[in-house]
Amino acid sequence: MKFTLSWLREHLSGAYTLDDVTDALNRIGLEVEGVEDKAAKLRGFTIAYVVSAVQHPNADKLRLCMVDTGAGEPVQVVCGAPNARTGLKSVFSPPGTYIPGKNITLGIGTIRGVESRGMLCSAAELELSEDHDGIIELPDDAPVGVPYVDWIGLNDPVIEIAVTPNRADCLGIHGVARDLAAAGVGVLVEDAIVPVPGAYPCPVSVTLAPDAPCPAFALRLIRGVSNGPSPDWLQAKLRAIGLRPINALVDVTNFLTFDQNRPLHVFDAAKVQGHLVVRRAVAGESLLALDGKTYALDPSICVISDDRAVESLAGVMGGEESGCDADTVDVLVESALWEPINIASTGRKLGLNSDARFRFERGIDPAFTMPGIELATRLILDLCGGEPSDVVLAGAIPDTTRVIEFPLALTEKLTGLVASDAEQVETLGRLGFTVEGTSGTVRVTPPSWRGDIEGKADLVEEVIRIVGLDRVPSTPFPRDETARKPVLTTLQLRTRKAKRALATRGLVEAVTWSFVSKPQAELFGGGNAALALANPIASDLSDMRPSLLPGLIRSAQANADRGLGDVALFEVGQVFKGDRPQDQFMAASGIRRALARPAGAGRHWAAKATPVDAFDAKADALAILAASGAPVANLQISTDAPVWFHPGRSGTFRLGANVIGHFGELHPGVLEALDADGPLVGFEVLLDRVPEPKAKPTRVKPLLELSAFQPVERDFAFVVARSVAAGDIVKAAAGVDRKLITAVNVFDVYEGPGVDADKKSVALSVALQPREKTLTDAEIEAVAARIVAEVSKKTGATLRG
């Protein structure tokens, strides 16, 4: 919403500045998005007189001008404009002036050996138009030395505000002025709108179809008008807010749209055949609109038609065939009221935006329907002449009167703002509300233009925004020993930490559908009737997703099909295992494809890039579990991963019987069913199943504990049955002395000659980190013996010779 300061002053009298207006607008909820002050940008430019203009001694296309700037002796200016001549009045910029059209600051220069102490400007250089063929030519009576912006009237700032959807009343300048006056800036100017008497019955009638979304439609004929360009004052107002003047009749409707928030429309009466009907369109009808485009219509769209065809898209845009032009003699003026939902639906369906649609879909003042047509009539008669008919009104103006019982004490209860009863009553009165009573509980009737006021809380909001949010006292949290409860739940914190952990590992977040096709649901353990949608939005989105992996796999393949094969994606969202609340989980899943390994994994200048494997997915899942507070050291990994994972290259995370998640390479059959190419690995962690963290001890251990003593590493090779998991060997070794043993890693697995066919050799590296003193050889050998004994006891392993 744009308006100029001078336009606002027509509705708001008093002594106030631009800063007063912008500060108050921000304070009362009408956010100022920008202020364009051309006067500030062009303040240094003045009107000057060219005393003489002669040929430049060293250039054929340059002129040497002596310019009277009104500030002393004439100055010398070199000018290349073809219209530079003796006796011309133009616009002068002295050295030090910023030229907006050239994005330079002017200095004293030497052009072809001749000094130039300023510049004569074109309209393009001042960004006033696209005209750069010559310098600006001013009339003979232009006063020399006067600032150009003052003389031409550009010293009128344009203010742009953001209007929230509920404040349709502030889409007119009068409504903005009303709010400012209520906030103590200026005094609202309220001129009575006197009806214009009709000289004859309107010869054109209006009929509302039974299903037409139009409560009321007012129409009047004005015959004998002289339509032409609108006066300079009206054109200047429209240009200032970015509108193009068209002709007087159309400009009047645009003026009232922004001045009073009352969109109107004018028809050339000579182009209307018969009478008007407001109805829904018939399938197959179309309209050539005023924007030059033809729109196909359907029965959901409300139109205005005559006896011949559709003439207007109701409340959105008129038709070109019945538009007013310079030949218009008789004009039909329309002031109608439309149902906001239908207007919004029509605009979205046709992709058509207009100032009228913007206002009608938010809801305009129904009580201003008749005053609006009277105001338009008066302006048309003043600008174009003519003789008006009586006003025809089809339908009825709806009665929006409603009374709200408002306890004035509620303001302090809801907001903490302390305002007296008298102050609240006065504030509501200045905003146009009718208040019965002065204290306690009062009866408040909102004005017709405030359709957004529905209850007591809305009235509290009106009081607090006008009285001022700065009067709401600040209430700090108590600083006592009682700890405040956390704002976020454990699951919400886990969700955030999981996203951060995966993003840190180089995965990119994706958001996929919560629905999958039935075959895809069946692939991932779903597909039961309880998760089928009764009314799916598409045939391939028929079931609630039992896993996040199908959507991620499709997204990865879509990237691969477009040449981005090495992708790593993750998503944190809901998955559905059944129709009960306890069968709904928050899952964190991810996939890696092709060469999308974690940053730094397996990278070496002399080695070839290797594709992702199950251990990359395992590392991603462990990162989530660690970030979520899971006891990673106590996790058990079994090989019974779900069937959508490769049976020999996957695993399941467990804490006893509690299954927390899965990881591994995706099954080739699943990838084939999803029409996806591998290699592709993935994981899924159910954040709900991560145990709640234990209460923190009173004495918190340090995060990093450094030792001053040299660590020691010892390698062991154990021969065990092939069925023994390497993780069991690692766990057994690590449990020998958890304080001394800081790391146990598997660095080799061997099967072949030298080892029985039903056995394998697993090699471990065990790191020992002393804390109190350097270990002796005897102490190291003692620990090694205990490791061998413990691994042998728990896994049946023997030390390989």
Side-chain angles (χ1 to χ4, degrees):
M1 171 68 185
K2 290 184 178 181
F3 55 90
T4 62
L5 184 61
S6 64
W7 198 344
L8 177 66
R9 290 188 187 278
E10 296 176 9
H11 296 270
L12 192 67
S13 63
Y16 52 84
T17 64
L18 175 63
D19 288 342
D20 293 336
V21 171
T22 55
D23 290 346
L25 287 171
N26 285 322
R27 189 171 66 248
I28 62 179
L30 300 175
E31 181 185 357
V32 177
E33 292 194 311
V35 177
E36 182 184 11
D37 190 357
K38 292 184 178 179
K41 186 168 60 175
L42 303 179
R43 179 58 64 187
F45 297 83
T46 60
I47 298 173
Y49 174 72
V50 181
V51 177
S52 65
V54 298
Q55 186 68 42
H56 190 291
N58 302 321
D60 295 338
K61 294 185 178 181
L62 298 178
R63 305 282 286 174
L64 190 59
C65 303
M66 297 303 295
V67 179
D68 179 9
T69 65
E73 295 296 322
V75 297
Q76 182 173 274
V77 175
V78 176
C79 182
N83 61 333
R85 63 185 184 275
T86 301
L88 175 68
K89 285 190 175 180
S90 188
V91 178
F92 172 75
S93 60
T97 307
Y98 175 74
I99 312 297
K102 290 184 174 291
N103 193 26
I104 61 170
T105 299
L106 193 63
I108 299 175
T110 300
I111 303 176
R112 291 291 184 95
V114 177
E115 185 180 70
S116 180
R117 304 186 67 85
M119 179 177 176
L120 294 172
C121 303
S122 68
E125 288 161 342
L126 271 60
E127 293 187 338
L128 298 178
S129 76
E130 300 297 324
D131 183 10
H132 52 76
D133 293 334
I135 57 177
I136 296 172
E137 296 193 23
L138 302 179
D140 295 337
D141 60 353
V144 174
V146 172
Y148 177 61
V149 290
D150 292 345
W151 181 79
I152 201 174
L154 288 177
N155 52 350
D156 192 7
V158 177
I159 305 167
E160 183 174 6
I161 61 174
V163 181
T164 53
N166 64 310
R167 293 303 310 277
D169 58 302
C170 286
L171 292 174
I173 298 171
H174 188 77
V176 175
R178 183 191 300 113
D179 262 25
L180 286 171
V185 178
V187 178
L188 183 65
V189 177
E190 294 189 274
D191 296 327
I193 299 174
V194 180
V196 179
Y200 54 92
C202 183
V204 180
S205 66
V206 181
T207 303
L208 303 181
D211 61 344
C214 176
F217 191 107
L219 187 72
R220 159 176 268 166
L221 175 69
I222 305 177
R223 62 190 181 194
V225 300
S226 178
N227 192 25
S230 54
D232 292 341
W233 66 266
L234 180 51
Q235 292 194 37
K237 287 181 184 296
L238 298 180
R239 284 198 182 98
I241 61 174
L243 296 181
R244 177 176 61 88
I246 299 173
N247 56 57
L249 293 174
V250 176
D251 291 351
V252 164
T253 64
N254 288 333
F255 170 78
L256 289 176
T257 296
F258 284 84
D259 188 75
Q260 297 287 340
N261 190 31
R262 177 62 251 190
L264 303 158
H265 185 61
V266 286
F267 301 89
D268 188 328
K271 300 174 183 177
V272 174
Q273 297 185 16
H275 302 283
L276 297 181
V277 178
V278 180
R279 59 174 175 82
R280 293 186 180 270
V282 177
E285 286 186 313
S286 62
L287 174 71
L288 175 62
L290 287 170
D291 61 358
K293 298 179 181 179
T294 300
Y295 295 94
L297 312 178
D298 63 49
S300 68
I301 297 172
C302 184
V303 298
I304 305 170
S305 69
D306 59 11
D307 294 346
R308 179 184 58 86
V310 174
E311 297 294 350
S312 175
L313 291 172
V316 179
M317 186 172 287
E320 190 171 278
E321 293 186 7
S322 59
C324 294
D325 53 31
D327 298 327
T328 299
V329 176
D330 299 334
V331 60
L332 286 167
V333 184
E334 164 214 324
S335 177
L337 196 61
W338 308 100
E339 289 183 3
I341 292 177
N342 182 263
I343 298 298
S345 173
T346 297
R348 282 196 291 267
K349 182 169 293 185
L350 300 179
L352 182 55
N353 291 308
S354 67
D355 292 323
R357 172 201 164 181
F358 190 77
R359 285 158 174 79
F360 279 126
E361 70 183 2
R362 284 160 173 77
I364 64 170
D365 182 5
F368 202 76
T369 302
M370 297 303 290
I373 200 169
E374 299 290 356
L375 198 55
T377 301
R378 177 59 62 192
L379 279 170
I380 291 172
L381 295 179
D382 291 345
L383 302 182
C384 306
E387 184 180 31
S389 73
D390 296 330
V391 177
V392 174
L393 177 64
I397 307 299
D399 182 9
T400 60
T401 304
R402 58 203 180 281
V403 178
I404 301 173
E405 299 285 341
F406 179 42
L408 296 172
L410 187 64
T411 300
E412 182 177 358
K413 181 179 180 181
L414 292 183
T415 68
L417 173 71
V418 178
S420 66
D421 290 356
E423 185 179 17
Q424 294 188 60
V425 170
E426 182 187 359
T427 299
L428 293 173
R430 291 201 305 267
L431 288 169
F433 293 79
T434 301
V435 183
E436 299 176 26
T438 57
S439 62
T441 299
V442 297
R443 290 168 56 84
V444 180
T445 304
S448 59
W449 59 82
R450 292 303 302 271
D452 60 309
I453 303 298
E454 298 177 352
K456 294 177 288 188
D458 297 324
L459 297 175
V460 171
E461 181 180 348
E462 291 302 297
V463 171
I464 193 173
R465 73 180 184 88
I466 297 298
V467 171
L469 284 168
D470 54 335
R471 284 180 49 181
V472 177
S474 298
T475 305
F477 285 111
R479 300 289 181 178
D480 55 21
E481 297 298 323
T482 304
R484 294 190 298 273
K485 293 182 179 180
V487 175
L488 300 179
T489 65
T490 301
L491 185 58
Q492 289 172 326
L493 288 172
R494 286 176 181 168
T495 299
R496 292 188 174 192
K497 291 177 179 179
K499 290 182 178 182
R500 188 177 294 115
L502 292 173
T504 302
R505 291 184 58 79
L507 287 89
V508 178
E509 185 174 10
V511 179
T512 64
W513 288 102
S514 297
F515 320 116
V516 294
S517 66
K518 193 171 191 65
Q520 291 174 357
E522 291 171 344
L523 284 173
F524 289 84
N528 53 320
L531 296 180
L533 299 177
N535 186 23
I537 59 176
S539 59
D540 59 343
L541 299 172
S542 60
D543 286 55
M544 302 298 290
R545 63 186 178 190
S547 169
L548 298 174
L549 291 174
L552 292 173
I553 294 170
R554 290 198 307 270
S555 297
Q557 188 60 40
N559 279 274
D561 292 341
R562 290 160 177 79
L564 301 173
D566 303 330
V567 292
L569 304 175
F570 79 89
E571 182 173 8
V572 179
Q574 299 285 352
V575 295
F576 307 88
K577 306 295 186 181
D579 58 348
R580 301 176 303 167
Q582 58 266 37
D583 296 330
Q584 180 176 330
F585 299 94
M586 179 64 71
S589 296
I591 55 102
R592 291 184 182 272
R593 187 185 185 280
L595 303 177
R597 302 193 67 192
R603 295 183 63 189
H604 191 273
W605 64 271
K608 293 183 179 181
T610 57
V612 293
D613 57 30
F615 296 104
D616 295 322
K618 177 184 177 183
D620 291 333
L622 285 173
I624 295 176
L625 291 167
S628 301
V632 176
N634 298 330
L635 284 175
Q636 298 136 10
I637 301 176
S638 60
T639 57
D640 57 339
V643 294
W644 51 89
F645 285 105
H646 192 293
R649 302 170 188 172
S650 59
T652 294
F653 293 109
R654 294 176 175 275
L655 280 171
N658 180 21
V659 175
I660 297 178
H662 317 280
F663 69 92
E665 184 176 323
L666 274 299
H667 196 289
V670 171
L671 295 183
E672 183 179 359
L674 294 175
D675 196 21
D677 301 322
L680 203 151
V681 299
F683 62 88
E684 188 161 68
V685 173
L686 300 180
L687 298 177
D688 308 70
R689 289 184 173 175
V690 176
E692 289 285 338
K694 294 181 180 179
K696 292 183 178 180
T698 54
R699 182 178 177 273
V700 180
K701 294 181 180 179
L703 295 176
L704 181 63
E705 201 173 340
L706 299 178
S707 174
F709 303 99
Q710 182 75 21
V712 178
E713 286 194 9
R714 284 291 183 269
D715 295 343
F716 303 85
F718 293 101
V719 177
V720 295
R722 285 192 177 187
S723 60
V724 175
D728 294 339
I729 304 175
V730 170
K731 189 174 181 180
V736 169
D737 190 333
R738 293 193 179 278
K739 186 175 180 181
L740 181 63
I741 298 174
T742 56
V744 179
N745 295 305
V746 176
F747 66 85
D748 183 54
V749 176
Y750 173 74
E751 296 175 358
V755 177
D756 294 343
D758 60 343
K759 297 183 181 295
K760 62 183 176 183
S761 171
V762 179
L764 305 181
S765 173
V766 179
L768 308 178
Q769 177 62 66
R771 305 289 177 181
E772 299 174 354
K773 65 173 186 175
T774 302
L775 295 175
T776 64
D777 289 343
E779 291 170 330
I780 295 173
E781 291 301 327
V783 173
R786 288 166 57 197
I787 291 173
V788 172
E790 187 70 13
V791 171
S792 176
K793 174 182 176 182
K794 291 189 175 180
T795 65
T798 59
L799 194 64
R800 183 179 176 187

